[in-house]
Amino acid sequence: MYRVLFVCLGNICRSPMAEAVFRERVARAGLSGAIEIDSAGTGDWHLGKPPHEGTRRILDAQGISYEGMLARGVRPEDGERFDLLVAMDESNVKAIREALGAKTRAEVVRFLSFVPDARLTDVPDPYYTGDFEETYALISEASDRLLAHLLETGKVTAAAR
Ligand code: 4NP
């Protein structure tokens, strides 16, 4: 089992969107049994809350489930449990490192590092921009690229199903 944790600030806009979209792509590829997917936030304002209305609206429009998803905070154990921590922006990377300390097994990456041809390096925060479509387009592309990367590098194999 390969374990991926998406991380943003509030865990109500970007990382739940990434969790839901990536889970759907993984399911479509028949790899649900090979990859565990979760999301968390580095801030604690929205713990226990469902995804933001804007995130829910765009996932509904795409027919992507977010059932049962509730915001939680990043925990030190996440650095041991997960293989890959996928940060939405550079400030999340810094906050993850602070939350986990030195002792962590997980690789920490920016989500858009999988989309080197994107015109941005950080996934814009729709909590502030209001533009959930722009964020969805980037998350959708990055999700496809992340899955391709995991298969190409052999971190996940179709046989693991
Ligand atoms: P997210 O967006 O990190 O994409 O979930 C935010 C949600 C809430 C806040 C900041 C960002 N907030 O400050 O409450």
Side-chain angles (χ1 to χ4, degrees), residues 40-57:
T42 62
D44 58 7
W45 311 283
H46 304 282
L47 302 182
K49 299 272 175 61
H52 189 284
E53 183 186 356
T55 287
R56 285 188 272 126
R57 192 177 296 144

Side-chain angles (χ1 to χ4, degrees), residues 63-136:
I64 297 174
S65 173
Y66 47 86
E67 198 186 336
M69 288 173 44
L70 298 172
R72 74 161 178 94
V74 172
R75 304 185 276 256
E77 314 89 83
D78 290 329
E80 301 303 314
R81 171 162 183 79
F82 290 88
D83 297 288
L84 186 64
L85 270 50
V86 182
M88 296 299 128
D89 63 36
E90 190 55 35
S91 74
N92 303 147
V93 171
K94 289 205 186 88
I96 288 168
R97 294 201 196 288
E98 280 164 24
L100 299 185
K103 192 171 148 285
T104 167
R105 191 179 67 80
E107 190 184 345
V108 182
V109 293
R110 262 187 312 99
F111 202 11
L112 293 186
S113 69
F114 296 106
V115 193
D117 46 328
R119 62 192 169 76
L120 298 171
T121 54
D122 290 337
V123 178
D125 192 341
Y127 191 77
Y128 302 112
T129 67
D131 191 344
F132 285 83
E133 281 78 12
E134 174 193 40
T135 292
Y136 174 78

Side-chain angles (χ1 to χ4, degrees), residues 8-14 45-46 125 127-128:
C8 64
L9 184 55
N11 193 212
I12 55 168
C13 295
R14 294 166 295 172
W45 311 283
H46 304 282
D125 192 341
Y127 191 77
Y128 302 112

